[in-house]
Amino acid sequence: MKELSQSFRIARTLDARGMYCPGPVMETAKAMKQLNSGEVLEILATDPAAKPDIEAWARRTGNQVLEVQQQGDAVRILVKKA
Amino acid sequence: MKLIDNEFKFATDDRSLMQSNKEQNPNPTQEKKKLSIIVFSGTMDKLMPVGILASGAAASGYEVNLFFTFWGLQAITKKSIQAMSSQQGGPKIDVNYQEFGPMMAKRMMEMRYPSWFQLVSEAKEQGEVKVFACSTSMGFFNIGREDLADFVDDVVGVATFLDRAQGGETLFI
């Protein structure tokens, strides 16, 4: 998985570690507004709700989750802007 | 926490996809969704889920309507917001859960968790969020327009709320 992720060019990284719901989703929504269509946002989060919530957020907003990796306590999520 | 979980599930339930408002949809491939909350309660344990739901919904592209009435209206006076901001009062926790108050307040500080008011304010910055005050409750409590916090968009009645809420999900908290 680690090798695979290197094929995505990351436009911006959001460090939401330590934040709780709805923090990671709010910050993801904000950060995505700054990106152009097709660009990829990397999100790091420790909130256990971050993975299901960002996946649900992406479904709702039409953005695409490219990859989800657990890295110790944190989850790393790549989202591509529609 | 159980209550919050259930409400969130309800608010994001897929069956509501069928009743969303298509007219205000900026993206033709996505259904525009709407969450309306009647904020009846004025205690902290009920205002927190209002803030969490409103900000999460706004971030997910929902149109959000918050209608503050009765005890909820008391929470959006300038006086209440100021007391809360200066941590010298403001809304209290429900008396049934009073013993959890100090512990939760301490944890929320440690977690740097925003106040319900900050969550609603941020929701307003992020998305399409309207805050309404109930005119009748204002009369009951002798609260004037000038007594209400700046984030209040309008003073309205039940017909306006029902009209705005139509076609979306509505919660009574």
Side-chain angles (χ1 to χ4, degrees), chain B:
Chain B
M1 287 311 278
K2 197 71 194 164
L3 179 70
I4 298 172
D5 287 341
N6 286 342
E7 280 165 359
F8 212 96
K9 271 183 196 131
F10 176 60
T12 57
D13 199 314
D14 277 338
R15 74 197 149 79
S16 57
L17 271 169
M18 291 180 277
Q19 351 170 295
S20 52
N21 184 349
K22 285 177 186 165
E23 282 171 25
Q24 295 178 22
N25 187 355
N27 180 347
T29 62
Q30 288 289 306
E31 297 272 354
K32 181 70 182 176
K33 300 267 293 162
K34 183 156 61 176
L35 176 66
S36 302
I37 306 177
I38 299 167
V39 189
F40 174 87
S41 310
T43 53
M44 197 54 93
D45 48 299
K46 297 273 177 50
L47 292 165
M48 281 308 298
V50 169
I52 295 167
L53 284 161
S55 55
S60 302
Y62 283 57
E63 177 190 334
V64 179
N65 297 302
L66 302 177
F67 183 71
F68 287 82
T69 186
F70 273 78
W71 318 115
L73 183 78
Q74 301 271 20
I76 55 165
T77 58
K78 283 195 176 99
K79 204 175 147 190
S80 172
I81 302 291
Q82 274 160 13
M84 193 183 59
S85 305
S86 59
Q87 296 180 347
Q88 292 173 343
K92 293 185 169 57
I93 194 163
D94 185 310
V95 71
N96 290 311
Y97 310 108
Q98 223 168 16
E99 71 267 31
F100 295 101
M103 181 274 280
M104 284 185 71
K106 184 168 169 279
R107 273 302 292 152
M108 282 159 70
M109 292 275 280
E110 286 167 2
M111 286 162 69
R112 297 186 180 193
Y113 203 84
S115 70
W116 80 269
F117 174 71
Q118 287 169 324
L119 286 164
V120 172
S121 301
E122 190 161 355
K124 289 198 71 162
E125 284 169 29
Q126 280 308 300
E128 206 179 327
V129 180
K130 294 281 182 226
V131 174
F132 299 110
C134 164
S135 64
T136 303
S137 297
M138 288 170 69
F140 286 163
F141 297 120
N142 202 20
I143 292 170
R145 180 69 181 88
E146 67 283 359
D147 301 322
L148 297 174
D150 295 336
F151 80 156
V152 175
D153 290 289
D154 208 354
V155 174
V156 303
V158 63
T160 304
F161 178 77
L162 291 173
D163 181 51
R164 292 198 61 104
Q166 205 211 344
E169 300 283 359
T170 300
L171 303 177
F172 183 94
I173 299 181

